[in-house]
Structure formats: structure tokens, C-alpha cells
């Protein structure tokens, strides 16, 4: 039976190739995801190890609460003197390694928008791990170095001027060195080097270090030196060996980027699910077309088990070949995904592509497993072919009992899936469990709809085919009737496209709601005319920007917002965002008070806190209660609740404290946002232009935006993410188009004599091509309609628990109509090959075809 399976595949090479492609694409996506993320993690490992190649021990502040920005507290430089006196120390140096902004002489940013730019300090030769490929290290406060990747991207050469900015005003430096660290690419990240004193000045850390690096004498191990240093280090510092520090940093990167692998694997799963429907449909049609062959084998004595083995071996070979090819294509997918991320401003560090044994095992298991599972039902169907089928082409009938069972299973899956989604949304489960329930429920609903969809084919085909029938008459009618001839086949083919378009419709509707909600939140929350923020949209800016804005003519009030993350002591262990506001913030922000009022903020004291209502209710806090936080620097402030507010824009986070408490207890002195209110009669455009000139000159990491620009900036970020999601879903759409083309090709094969008859009675080649294309269009529209309904329903469901946070669902009707048009065009594209093949059938040969 193995040789029979091989011969059967070889006799249907094109069909086998199309089916294999579905496996290849899904497996390649999975393999590419693992290869890309493993390569990125390996690059970070290499960067951390190379940077500490000459270091034995690293000293840094204990990071009690890890921040999303990745920043860690600095500490007093006096510790260095103690460390240098420790026995076994060969060299020790204080290090500055703080985020900033890099610009060329024309003010153009250097490096990727979302990647970190780090301002670092010189290391002594005993600890220096970077190589100067050109020039030399900075020798005075006017000189700087930069990494090779950033220099090439910005077209910088030795002697050029670069501008660096952190918490102090931006300063120009002469480029005297171009450096390289190991062989790994930094991606879009950049590193600029300064003298230690200048690095401390520009980052606002005079008399402080971010870290101390220590090299051991020969014969002293890193572990032994760590124990010695720990004896003299203050309690608030963390002492690690270089290996421990590199491993901890690598693990943090893996944790922070873990969502990337999960997200990409979700899209890979979608492609695999679509591919599974294609495989199922192809094998179903193949079994139906080989009835006579299986009947002959039964007549010659083949048992049901042997027939089953033959079909399963075919599926096994398709899965194995597809998995191997998909694994090979995974390298191309990894590079393609990286290029896609670069295109949207996310440039990940890279090194040589990494292929782990786990990736190979997962790729083979998924490729073979999906193919075997998808082909199992058609394989079982092949065993029911009776021997008499060898004498006359028979179609294996579907029993009424099986139809009822399918309907019952479809109803059960749909109801159970919907219940899982609702429990995930409203059941109060933690985020991980809720995501699992919603994901599992979504798959169950899709499977339920796919099982029920054959009953929807006839009405949907009539709806989608009616315009074509009126436009092209008999040709359109034949196309519509052909899609209704075998509802199960049409349904499975349409379902493959339904899955991809359901996700596209969901994302489209949800993104429209996000953009509308952002616009509403900006209009409702901001009373001021201008906002200062970091150009990357999320990092803090220098408080000097607010001071400069206060001096600008036409400005009445500048109120600042600072934010950090903390832990709630005695709470659920989460990391609520804590903000700080000026007492005059009520003049630039609209705060929806539920307890207290504007006077609460005007009389705000350092021992007090104002809570978001949902945070207070979730943790059982009321007015007068005391709230204790653990801050990043290990402080434990206890604050009395004096007010509550509702913040649908999520601007203020979970709690608001004074700026004094934010600086002393949370060690945050940089602004997240500065709100500017103009003096009566001042021109917004004129003030913005003047303020922009000042900010660009002195604080170029910040930007000045009016309300419309702020809304547009947020919408642009949503659109950028939307484009990325569309690109990732494109592979699933591509697989579904293969499914339409494959189904049409197989359908034409079994309708060869019928097409010959139509040609014989006068149908032209062009009409044959048109008929086949219209069949594809109707099938695609069936999938699009079902997908759009599912996408809109799921968007409406998921929007319900977000309404209290100000989310308003919006339905972009024009975009949804464009998706239907896209589906129709995709159907035409998928039908090009089968339509041409059908029109070229020889009439006489077709009439004699059996």
C-alpha cells in the first residue's frame, strides 16, 4: 500500500504540490517565528557577554520594581572607593549607561524610533570590551564616539558633529571614534560614548553611577571576588558575577519579548488552521474522485484497513515533505519577518540565524500532525467504498444520521465556544486564563460555524451570485449553481477564507473603535492647547522642557505629569502605574471626580494619594484608608486616600501623588507629559512655532503637539500596528486562495465531460473562463460574508467590558465593503489557472472523458 500511495501522489503531482504548499506555509511561519526569536535572544546573549568579556563582577542598584522602560536606579559614586580597596580587585570603574537621544548636525534622529539609545561612559583599558574600528575614545567633554551601525545608518564620519540629549539641554559633540562590540548587530539601538564626567553631567547623574564593573586579579574567581565585594557593598546594591548579570539581563529580555513569540505563533496557528481546511477539502475531493479505483482494489481483495493505510500514507508523505520544505523556508520567513518589523520601526538585534533542535521537532510534528488529522475523516470515508464501485462510478452517500450529528456537533461547538468567550470576558479570570478561554472559545466557534456552513451555502450563493447572474445571464447562473452543487465542498473552501477575513474584519472594526476612543479621550481630557512629549511616544522628557515652555511668550500655565510603576503592598502583586500632578493640573486637564473635587488637587499634600475608582474598588480602598507602595528604590510610602476619579483615557494610571513624593520616594524626576495652556488671546500656531524652535534646539527628544496632531499621532501608531497585523495575516489569506484554486482545479477535473458538453452546444472559451472565475468569486464572497459577520460579532463582544473605560466601538462601513471587494478580486486571482485550464479542454476528448 505504500508503493500505491507513492504512485497515487506521483500521478497527481500538481494536486499534491498545492496541498503540500498549505503545509509548507504554516510550518514555515512556525519555524520562522522560532528562528527569528531564537536569533534575537542569541544576539542579546552575545551582546551582554561581549560587553562584560573583561569584567568579573558587576555592581548595580537593586531594582525592586522593574520598569517597562527598563531604567534602573543609580547610586552614589562613593561606593567605588570601597570596592577598589577589596583584595583581589585588579581594576574597577564606575559606569554610566542611560537612555538618551541622538541627532545629526541637521537635527535628524539617529537610530530606530523605538530602539534604545544609550549614553555611556569610557571604561579603563582593563575593562574595555568595545573595539575602536576608527578613531579613538573621547578624551574631553567635547568629544564622543558612536557604534558602527548607527554611524553607517546616519552616514556619519569622523569629525562630524552629533548632538546628544538626556535630562540636560542637548549638546553638540565632535565624533572622534566609531566602535564595534562583537559580531552581533544592535538592530536599531545605538550607543554613544563620552568621558565619565560628561556622561554624568548630561544624564543628570553627577556623583552617581549606573553600575560599577570590577575585574579580578589572576587566580581570583568571579564568584570569590563577588563574595568579597558583597562584604563592603551597601545593602541597597546588587552584586553579581559577570555571568550572573549577563544571564539575568538575557532572561529579562526573554520575558519582555516573550509576547512577540506568542503573537507570531498565533498568526502561524491561523495559517495552519486555514491550511488544515485546504488539506481536508483536497483529500475529500480526491477520495470522491477515486471511488472506482478504491472499488477495484476492494474487488481484488484489498481490505478496509489497507485502503485506509494507503490514504494515510499519502497524507504522511505530504505532511513530511511539507514539514521539511517548511522548515527550510523558515529561514526566509525569519528574514521576512525581521524586514517587516524594520519597516514599521522595530529593528531587532540579529546574529547568525539560529536553528534549535526544538524548532526541527516542532516543525516536523506540526506538519505531519496537521496533515494526518486533516486527512483522517476523508481517509475513513475511503474505507466505505463498496466493491461494486469498480463497475460503476458511485458517490459515497452521506447518511441522514451523519447530517444530524454534524448539525448537533456544530451547535454544541458554537454554544460552548461562545460561552468560553463570555466567561473569559466577564468571568473575572486572570489575564492568562481569560486569554486561553477566549482563544479556545474562538476556535470552537469557528469550527462550529464551519460544520454548519454547508446549510448556509445555498442562500449565500444566491445572494452573492444574484448580481453576477443579472450581469452575465446564463454564465452567472451556471457559476452560482455550480457553487451550490456540492455545498460541503464549497463550505470548506469558503471557510478557509472565512478565518482570515474574520480576523481582518475584527482587527479593522476594533482599530476603528480605538482611534475613535482616542480622539474622544483627547477632546474630553485636555483643556490645554499644547502638549509636550517624547517623540517616541512613551519615554520621559527632560523637566527642562517644561521650564523652557513657561518662559515662552503667550504661555499661561505649564503643568507636568510624571509616572512610574510600583508594587501595591498587600495587594495582588501587580505593578500599578503611579502618576504625579501639579496642583494646578485642573486648569489643563478635565478630571472626572467620584470622591473629592478640584479643591482636593489644589490642597494636595505629600502624605496623600488620589486613586482611580476601579483600582480602589478592586482593592477595597475607601476615603481615609492608607495605601502602601513598594517603589523601585525600595521605599515604602504609606499614603492616605483623599479622593477618587474615573479615568477612561487611562492617562493618570492607578494612583496620583505629589511631585515631591514622586521625586523622593519613587526617584522619578523626569516628565512624561507637559500640558500647556495659553494666555487669553494668544495664537496657538504662533506659540507652537516659537515653542517648537526652542524645544528642537535645546530638548530635541521632545516634540510640541496641538490636540489634532496628538490625535493624529495616536491614530498613525494604530494604523502602523494595523498594517503589521494585515501583513502577518496575508499568509493565511494566501493559503485560502490556494484552497480556492485547488478546489476549482479538482472540480474542473471531475466536470471535464460536462464542460465538453457545454462547449459542444456553443459555450465559448471566454464564457468557460468567466463561469469558472465567477464560481471563485461566489465562493470567496461566501467566505468573506461569514468572516465579516464573525469578525464584527467578536469585536462587539470584546468591546463590552471596555465600555466602562471609555472604549466606543465604531464600524468602518467603507472599509468593510472594501474587504468584500478584495475577497471578490482574490477569487478572480485564484481562478486564473483553473479557468484557463478549463477553457483549453479539447471538446472531443472531454466528451469521451470518463
Amino acid at each position: 500500500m505504500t508503493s500505491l500511495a507513492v504512485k497515487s501522489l506521483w500521478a497527481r503531482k500538481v494536486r499534491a504540490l498545492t496541498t503540500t504548499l498549505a503545509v509548507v506555509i504554516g510550518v514555515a511561519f512556525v519555524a520562522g517565528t522560532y528562528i527569528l526569536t531564537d536569533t534575537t535572544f542569541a544576539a542579546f546573549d552575545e551582546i551582554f557577554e561581549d560587553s562584560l568579556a573583561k569584567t568579573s563582577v558587576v555592581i548595580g542598584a537593586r531594582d525592586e520594581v522593574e520598569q517597562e522602560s527598563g531604567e534602573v536606579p543609580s547610586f552614589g559614586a562613593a561606593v567605588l572607593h570601597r570596592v577598589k580597596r577589596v583584595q583581589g580587585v585588579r581594576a574597577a570603574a564606575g559606569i554610566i549607561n542611560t537612555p538618551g537621544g541622538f541627532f545629526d548636525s541637521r537635527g535628524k534622529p539617529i537610530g530606530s524610533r523605538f530602539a534604545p539609545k544609550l549614553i555611556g561612559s569610557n571604561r579603563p583599558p582593563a575593562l574595555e570590551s568595545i573595539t575602536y574600528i576608527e578613531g579613538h575614545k573621547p578624551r574631553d567633554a567635547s568629544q564622543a564616539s558612536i557604534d558602527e551601525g548607527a554611524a553607517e545608518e546616519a552616514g556619519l564620519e569622523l569629525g562630524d558633529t552629533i548632538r546628544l540629549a538626556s535630562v540636560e539641554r542637548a549638546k553638540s559633540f565632535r565624533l572622534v571614534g566609531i566602535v564595534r562590540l562583537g559580531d552581533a548587530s544592535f538592530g536599531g539601538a545605538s550607543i554613544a560614548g563620552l568621558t565619565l564626567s560628561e556622561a554624568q553631567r548630561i544624564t543628570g547623574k553627577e556623583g552617581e553611577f549606573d553600575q560599577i564593573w570590577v575585574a579580578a586579579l589572576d587566580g581570583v574567581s568571579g564568584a570569590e571576588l563577588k563574595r568579597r565585594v558583597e562584604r563592603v557593598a551597601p545593602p541597597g546594591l546588587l552584586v553579581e558575577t559577570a555571568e550572573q548579570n549577563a544571564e539575568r539581563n538575557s532572561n529579562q529580555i526573554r520575558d519582555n519579548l516573550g509576547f512577540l513569540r506568542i503573537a507570531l505563533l498565533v498568526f502561524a496557528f491561523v495559517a495552519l488552521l486555514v491550511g488544515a481546511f485546504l488539506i481536508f477539502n483536497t483529500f475529500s475531493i480526491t477520495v470522491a474522485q477515486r471511488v472506482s479505483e478504491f472499488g477495484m482494489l476492494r474487488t481484488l481483495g484489498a481490505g478496509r484497513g489497507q485502503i485506509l493505510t494507503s490514504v494515510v500514507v499519502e497524507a504522511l508523505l505530504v505532511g513530511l515533505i511539507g514539514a521539511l520544505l517548511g522548515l527550510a523556508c523558515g529561514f526566509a520567513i525569519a528574514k521576512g519577518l525581521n524586514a517587516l518589523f524594520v519597516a514599521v520601526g522595530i529593528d531587532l538585534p540579529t546574529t547568525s540565524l539560529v536553528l534549535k533542535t526544538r524548532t526541527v521537532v516542532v516543525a516536523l510534528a506540526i506538519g505531519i500532525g496537521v496533515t494526518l488529522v486533516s486527512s483522517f475523516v476523508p481517509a475513513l470515508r475511503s474505507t466505505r467504498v463498496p466493491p461494486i464501485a469498480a463497475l460503476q462510478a458511485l458517490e459515497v452517500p452521506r447518511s441522514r444520521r451523519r447530517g444530524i450529528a454534524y448539525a448537533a456537533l456544530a451547535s454544541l461547538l458554537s454554544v460552548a465556544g461562545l460561552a468560553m468567550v463570555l466567561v473569559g470576558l466577564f468571568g473575572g479570570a486572570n489575564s492568562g486564563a481569560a486569554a486561553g478561554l477566549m482563544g479556545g472559545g474562538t476556535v470552537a466557534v469557528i469550527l462550529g460555524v464551519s460544520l454548519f456552513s454547508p446549510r448556509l451555502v445555498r442562500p449565500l450563493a444566491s445572494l452573492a451570485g444574484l448580481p453576477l447572474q443579472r450581469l452575465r445571464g446564463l454564465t452567472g447562473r451556471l457559476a452560482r449553481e455550480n457553487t451550490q452543487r456540492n455545498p460541503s465542498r464549497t463550505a470548506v473552501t469558503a471557510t478557509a477564507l472565512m478565518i482570515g477575513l474574520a480576523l481582518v474584519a475584527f482587527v479593522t472594526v476594533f482599530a476603528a473603535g480605538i482611534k475613535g476612543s482616542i480622539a474622544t479621550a483627547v477632546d474630553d481630557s485636555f483643556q490645554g492647547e499644547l502638549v509636550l512629549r517624547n517623540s517616541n511616544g512613551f519615554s520621559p522628557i527632560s523637566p527642562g522642557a517644561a521650564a523652557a515652555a513657561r518662559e515662552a511668550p503667550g504661555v499661561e500655565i505649564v503643568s507636568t505629569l510624571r509616572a512610574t510603576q510600583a508594587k501595591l503592598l498587600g495587594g495582588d502583586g501587580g505593578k500599578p502605574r503611579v502618576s504625579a500632578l501639579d496642583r494646578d493640573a485642573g486648569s489643563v486637564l478635565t478630571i472626572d471626580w467620584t470622591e473629592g473635587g478640584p479643591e482636593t488637587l489644589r490642597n494636595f499634600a505629600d502624605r496623600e494619594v488620589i486613586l482611580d475608582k476601579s483600582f480602589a474598588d478592586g482593592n477595597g480602598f475607601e476615603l481615609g484608608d492608607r495605601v502602601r507602595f513598594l517603589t523601585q528604590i525600595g521605599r515604602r510610602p504609606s499614603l492616605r486616600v483623599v479622593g477618587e476619579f474615573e479615568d477612561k483615557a487611562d492617562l493618570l494610571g492607578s494612583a496620583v501623588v505629589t511631585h515631591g513624593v514622586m521625586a523622593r520616594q519613587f526617584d522619578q524626576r523626569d516628565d512624561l507629559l507637559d500640558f500647556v495652556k495659553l494666555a487669553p488671546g494668544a495664537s496657538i500656531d504662533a506659540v507652537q512655532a516659537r515653542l517648537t524652535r526652542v524645544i528642537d534646539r535645546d530638548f530635541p527628544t521632545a516634540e510640541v503637539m496641538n490636540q489634532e496632531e496628538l490625535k493624529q499621532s495616536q491614530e498613525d501608531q494604530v494604523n502602523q500596528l494595523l498594517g503589521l497585523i494585515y501583513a502577518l495575516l496575508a499568509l493565511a489569506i494566501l493559503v485560502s486562495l490556494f484552497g480556492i484554486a485547488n478546489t476549482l482545479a479538482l472540480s474542473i477535473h471531475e466536470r471535464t465531460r460536462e464542460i465538453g458538453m457545454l462547449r459542444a452546444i456553443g459555450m465559448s472559451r471566454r464564457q468557460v473562463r468567466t463561469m469558472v472565475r465567477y464560481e471563485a468569486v461566489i465562493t470567496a464572497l461566501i467566505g468573506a460574508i461569514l468572516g465579516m459577520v464573525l469578525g464584527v460579532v467578536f469585536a462587539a463582544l470584546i468591546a463590552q467590558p471596555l465600555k466602562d473605560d471609555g472604549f466606543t466601538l465604531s464600524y468602518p462601513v467603507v472599509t468593510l465593503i472594501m474587504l468584500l471587494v478584495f475577497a471578490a478580486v482574490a477569487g478572480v486571482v485564484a481562478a486564473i489557472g483553473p479557468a484557463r485550464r478549463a477553457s483549453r479542454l479539447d471538446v472531443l476528448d472531454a466528451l469521451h472523458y470518463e
Side-chain angles (χ1 to χ4, degrees), residues 210-221:
D210 289 324
Q211 290 181 329
I212 293 176
W213 289 4
V214 187
L217 290 170
D218 293 340
V220 179
S221 68

Side-chain angles (χ1 to χ4, degrees), residues 625-645:
D625 289 347
R626 303 202 72 83
V627 181
R628 297 182 67 229
F629 294 104
L630 172 64
T631 72
Q632 187 182 22
I633 58 175
R635 302 286 178 84
R636 298 169 182 260
S638 177
L639 307 171
R640 184 170 60 88
V641 180
V642 295
E644 292 182 7
F645 60 90

Side-chain angles (χ1 to χ4, degrees), residues 350-366:
T350 57
T351 184
S352 301
L353 292 179
V354 176
L355 178 64
K356 292 188 174 182
T357 303
R358 175 255 290 131
T359 304
V360 177
V361 173
V362 169
L364 292 175
I366 287 178

Side-chain angles (χ1 to χ4, degrees), residues 530-678:
L530 300 175
V531 174
L532 275 64
R533 67 166 197 174
N534 195 295
S535 56
N536 64 21
F538 57 88
S539 297
I541 59 175
S542 169
R550 291 188 180 98
E551 298 175 0
V555 172
E556 180 180 2
I557 296 175
V558 177
S559 187
T560 61
L561 167 68
R562 297 175 182 174
T564 188
Q565 288 176 290
K567 287 183 180 179
L568 176 64
L569 295 177
D572 58 3
K575 294 193 296 184
R577 180 158 52 91
V578 179
S579 300
L581 288 176
D582 292 317
R583 291 181 175 85
D584 60 2
S587 301
V588 294
L589 291 176
T590 300
I591 301 176
D592 186 6
W593 295 95
T594 58
E595 297 285 351
E599 69 284 351
T600 305
L601 192 58
R602 287 194 294 267
N603 300 321
F604 206 17
D606 285 350
R607 303 299 295 177
E608 296 174 343
V609 64
I610 304 171
L611 299 182
D612 176 75
K613 179 174 174 55
S614 61
F615 176 77
D617 292 345
N619 291 279
F621 291 124
E622 297 179 353
L623 290 184
D625 289 347
R626 303 202 72 83
V627 181
R628 297 182 67 229
F629 294 104
L630 172 64
T631 72
Q632 187 182 22
I633 58 175
R635 302 286 178 84
R636 298 169 182 260
S638 177
L639 307 171
R640 184 170 60 88
V641 180
V642 295
E644 292 182 7
F645 60 90
E646 284 189 345
D647 183 14
K648 294 181 178 180
D650 194 28
L651 178 66
L652 304 180
S654 301
V656 175
V657 298
T658 65
H659 278 297
V661 170
M662 179 63 70
R664 293 189 302 273
Q665 303 288 348
F666 294 85
D667 195 34
Q668 179 56 265
R669 294 172 172 82
D670 296 336
D671 299 339
L672 183 64
L673 293 170
D674 296 333
F675 306 101
V676 180
K677 184 176 180 62
L678 304 188

Side-chain angles (χ1 to χ4, degrees), residues 108-124:
K108 181 181 177 182
I110 297 173
S112 174
R113 176 183 180 186
F114 298 109
K117 292 90 174 171
L118 299 176
I119 296 176
S121 57
N122 290 340
R123 285 82 161 166

